[in-house]
Amino acid sequence: MKKQLFIICLLTVVVNVIADDTPRHRQLGWDVEVKQGVNIGAVSPFPLTAEVRSIDEYSPRLNGTAEVVVTRWLPTTPKLGVSMGLKFEEKGMKTTAQVKNQRTEIVSSEQNIEGYYTGKVSTSYSATALTLPVMLNYRLNKSWKVRGGFYYSYMLSQSFTGFVSDGYLRVGTPVGEKLTFEDDSMGAYNFNEHLRRHNGGFQVGGSWLAIRDFTVNADLTWGVGTIFQKAFKGTGMDLYPIFMNFTFGYRF
């Protein structure tokens, strides 16, 4: 009888050990997660300015992201946690818009010309950045959590270029000399040297624990500062990075 009781107790301990396969760091209130996905969005004025009459074309491009996130769940309030991540990401887009009297600076006949443009504007933007998000997390249940916080990005490389066509430029002022772009005539612009290296903003998102330790995530990031240096007025408007980040993750 004693032997049987000993075997039952031993089996119970073994089963409990096998069933409790939660990693030690998670038992102590830490989560470590890796994520990979894409950014979809644009750099845009908010709200759209009166100069922008229509958006004729938009291409979000394939902007990859890879991220490591560490979360500390608070011992006194287990549903609340603070997380910090390190993300390598790309952001970019291509657009074609119809504008009226938009301030710009173009290159025509190898000369830089400033003025007010009416017609078609094609823009291409791309950036590669290291981003540090700091978030407050809240667990709704075992499968769902939401979060909100802020992020800081350092731009490793970036580009803002394009051209104008099918329209005209008023040189200097809205009633200045008229420079016309017709047929195959275009005026190019390149504002790369005026882009800021540092950017930051707000981030909100949520995660679903889909299967065991695999997660599906969505986050909205909204920059609070324009992508251009403060003194630059070449576009006549402030452009903010607004992107959705969709990722799949694995929790260790």
Side-chain angles (χ1 to χ4, degrees), residues 45-191:
F46 184 82
L48 285 177
T49 61
E51 291 83 358
V52 180
R53 296 307 173 95
S54 66
I55 306 294
D56 296 340
E57 296 180 19
Y58 166 74
S59 172
R61 312 181 94 172
L62 183 61
N63 306 302
T65 69
E67 182 179 11
V68 178
V69 181
V70 177
T71 304
R72 171 57 171 165
W73 297 102
L74 305 181
T76 56
T77 313
K79 286 191 173 185
L80 286 178
V82 178
S83 65
M84 180 176 292
L86 181 62
K87 182 194 300 183
F88 176 84
E89 62 179 337
E90 298 173 323
K91 293 181 176 180
M93 56 133 204
K94 289 184 178 180
T95 61
T96 299
Q98 294 289 338
V99 302
K100 185 174 182 179
N101 290 333
Q102 178 182 324
R103 181 176 175 81
T104 191
E105 177 182 322
I106 64 172
V107 178
S108 180
S109 301
E110 299 183 353
Q111 291 182 332
N112 290 334
I113 304 175
E114 295 184 13
Y116 294 80
Y117 185 76
T118 297
K120 183 187 294 185
V121 178
S122 298
T123 300
S124 176
Y125 170 77
S126 63
T128 302
L130 280 178
T131 298
L132 181 71
V134 179
M135 311 285 285
L136 179 64
N137 297 256
Y138 181 75
R139 281 196 281 217
L140 299 173
N141 51 47
K142 291 183 178 181
S143 298
W144 291 91
K145 69 177 179 180
V146 294
R147 56 186 166 269
F150 61 90
Y151 72 90
Y152 162 78
S153 291
Y154 176 77
M155 302 300 171
L156 301 174
S157 64
Q158 50 189 338
S159 172
F160 191 101
T161 59
F163 60 89
V164 299
S165 60
D166 299 330
Y168 60 89
L169 179 77
R170 292 287 186 179
V171 179
T173 70
V175 293
E177 178 186 352
K178 188 176 182 180
L179 183 61
T180 303
F181 297 89
E182 295 177 337
D183 301 323
D184 295 330
S185 177
M186 295 185 300
Y189 58 87
N190 184 325
F191 299 147

Side-chain angles (χ1 to χ4, degrees), residues 200-219:
F202 298 107
Q203 178 174 331
V204 293
S207 295
W208 172 46
L209 188 60
I211 304 174
R212 195 172 172 81
D213 292 321
F214 291 92
T215 63
V216 180
N217 313 279
D219 290 84

